[in-house]
Amino acid sequence: MRRFLDAAVRSAAAGSVVAAAHALVNARLMRVPDADPPRCREKVSVLVPARDEAHRIAPTIRSLQAQRGVPELEIIVLDDGSADGTADEVRRAAGDDPRLRVVTGDAPPAGLPGKPHACARLAELAEGHVLVFVDADVVLAPHAVAAAVALLRENDLDVVSPFPRQLADGAGARLVQPLLQWSWLVFLPLRLAERSPRPSLSAANGQFLVVDTAAYHRSGGFAGIATAVLDDIALMRAVKRSGGRGVVVDGSTVAACRMYEDWAEVRDGYEKSLWSATGSPVVAAALSVVLAWLYVLPPIAALTGSRAGAVGYAAGVLTRVVTARHTGGRVWPDALAHPVSVGVLLTLIARSWRARRAGRLHWKGRSLRESS
C-alpha cells in the first residue's frame, strides 16, 4: 500500500508539472484585445438580458453608452420578467440616448432556463452584423466592443468570448471564482481549440460574448439550445458544429464582472450549473477523482514529508499564479490555497448532482426541473 501511495503521489506531481507547463504555454498564446483597436466599420448590436438587476445594472448601461470606435451601435435591453423595477432603472441610467431601447420579454417554457430564451428574443430584434451579448453585472472599458469585434474580424473567427476579470470578495468567492479561468487555461489547448471544429474543445463565458450574426443564425442560435443551463458553452459548440470557429480570450483588460455577492450566491450559482458542466454522474465522479489526485493528494503527502508531494503542490500553486497574472485575478495569498479551492469545488459538484436528482434546481425564482 505504501508503494502504491508513493507511486500515486509521484504520478500526480508529474501530472501537475505538465499541467503547469501547459498553462504557461497557453498564457503566452492567449489572444488579448487591442488597447487601441481600429474603428469599427459595421453595425454592432449590444444585447443585455436582465432579470431583477435594478441594484447593479446602471454601471453596465453607462459603460455601454461610453463605448467608442463603434459609430453604428445599438443597445437593446430585455427585461426578463423583473419584479424590482429593472426596466425603470435602465431608462433612468440611459436618459434620452437614442441608441438604447428597452423591451419586455415573455416567460420561457416551464422548467427551461430563462437566459437562452431571452437571448434568442434579443437576437431576433437585433440589426447588427455582430451580436455582442453582455450580462447585466458586467462593466466594459470604453474600447471593449471595438476591440472584441477587431479580434473577431482580424482572426477570421465566428465567435469570441473575452473572459471578464472576475471580482471576488469574501473567502468563498475567492476560493471558487478563480477556478473558472483556471480550468480552461490549464486544460484547454487554446490555439487548437480555435482551429478545431470539435465541440468538445470549447470554452466560453456568456458575460461577454461576441458572435458574427450570420454564424449565429447558421448555428441555430440560442433558440437551438433552449434547454442549456450553460448556454454560453452550448452556443460556442453549436457554432463549431455548423462549421464556425471560436475561442475564449483574455478579457480582463476590457471587462469586469462581480457574479456573486456572498457565499450563498456562489453556492447556489454553482449548484445550478455544475451538473451540466460535468455531463453525467460517471463523468463527474471521474473528474472529481482526477482533480483530487492531481491537486489534493500531493499537498497532503507534502505534509508528511514527501518531496514529490511538495513538487506537486508547488506546480498546482504555479497554475494559479499564472492564471491570476494573465486574467486580472489576485495572486497572493489566494494561489497558496489551491488545494482548498479544489476541495470546495468537489463538494459543489456533489451538491449540484444531489440537487439535480432531487429535482430542486432553480435560479432567480424559476424551476429548472425539466432542463437537460
Side-chain angles (χ1 to χ4, degrees):
M1 177 60 70
R2 180 55 184 266
R3 286 196 296 271
F4 172 79
L5 288 175
D6 287 344
V9 171
R10 288 195 297 271
S11 60
S16 296
V17 169
V18 171
H22 184 251
L24 287 165
V25 171
N26 260 349
R28 290 183 61 85
L29 296 177
M30 181 168 51
R31 298 197 186 278
V32 180
D34 194 337
D36 186 21
R39 185 180 179 86
C40 185
R41 300 187 182 278
E42 55 191 320
K43 187 166 186 176
V44 177
S45 298
V46 177
L47 310 174
V48 185
R51 178 173 170 83
D52 293 334
E53 301 284 4
H55 61 295
R56 60 184 178 183
I57 198 170
T60 299
I61 298 303
R62 289 192 288 268
S63 76
L64 298 180
Q65 292 177 291
Q67 292 303 299
R68 59 176 184 249
V70 191
E72 292 188 76
L73 178 71
E74 71 168 348
I75 305 168
I76 310 175
V77 180
L78 185 141
D79 181 23
D80 185 19
S82 299
D84 66 347
T86 292
D88 292 335
E89 185 61 32
V90 171
R91 293 186 182 99
R92 278 193 292 270
D96 58 357
D97 191 334
R99 301 172 299 170
L100 187 147
R101 57 178 164 144
V102 180
V103 298
T104 301
D106 57 343
L112 297 186
K115 187 177 178 183
H117 184 75
C119 288
R121 177 59 178 150
L122 283 164
E124 291 173 359
L125 298 169
E127 298 178 353
H129 297 109
V130 179
L131 307 179
V132 179
F133 295 93
V134 178
D135 278 1
D137 52 4
V138 174
V139 175
L140 299 184
H143 66 294
V145 172
V149 173
L151 258 182
L152 185 82
R153 296 310 191 201
E154 291 171 0
N155 296 288
D156 194 26
L157 298 169
D158 296 286
V159 56
V160 165
S161 179
F163 209 110
R165 180 165 60 95
Q166 300 298 302
L167 306 177
D169 299 313
R174 288 174 64 177
L175 282 171
V176 177
Q177 285 300 90
L179 296 181
L180 290 172
Q181 305 98 304
W182 173 84
S183 61
W184 51 262
L185 192 64
V186 171
F187 296 111
L188 181 69
L190 291 178
R191 288 300 173 87
L192 177 60
E194 181 179 309
R195 297 190 301 269
S196 173
R198 296 182 61 183
S200 59
L201 291 175
S202 299
N205 188 335
Q207 293 169 355
F208 185 18
L209 194 63
V210 182
V211 58
D212 173 77
T213 301
Y216 172 88
H217 289 298
R218 281 197 305 271
S219 74
F222 281 104
I225 54 167
T227 63
V229 173
L230 294 175
D231 51 89
D232 42 15
I233 297 176
L235 182 66
M236 178 72 80
R237 289 174 174 169
V239 169
K240 287 193 170 191
R241 281 194 295 268
S242 65
R245 298 172 61 240
V247 73
V248 64
V249 302
D250 174 24
S252 63
T253 60
V254 296
C257 177
R258 178 172 278 104
M259 285 180 67
Y260 304 120
E261 299 290 342
D262 54 34
W263 169 247
E265 290 188 2
V266 172
R267 179 196 62 211
D268 293 346
Y270 282 93
E271 178 181 89
K272 177 258 300 182
S273 61
L274 279 176
W275 69 270
S276 181
T278 51
S280 73
V282 172
V283 172
L287 175 64
S288 297
V289 168
V290 170
L291 289 176
W293 168 62
L294 286 175
Y295 297 111
V296 178
L297 176 61
I300 291 175
L303 293 176
T304 68
S306 168
R307 292 183 179 179
V311 169
Y313 169 63
V317 169
L318 178 59
T319 63
R320 285 288 295 275
V321 171
V322 171
T323 300
R325 286 184 172 170
H326 287 84
T327 61
R330 290 188 181 93
V331 179
W332 309 112
D334 299 45
L336 298 174
H338 185 57
V340 180
S341 293
V342 173
V344 173
L345 175 64
L346 300 184
T347 65
L348 290 173
I349 291 173
R351 178 186 176 90
S352 181
W353 273 104
R354 286 197 300 269
R356 167 68 172 164
R357 288 182 168 179
R360 55 182 175 84
L361 291 170
H362 65 278
W363 188 244
K364 291 198 171 185
R366 288 173 174 160
S367 171
L368 302 179
R369 288 175 184 271
E370 299 172 21
S371 61
S372 60

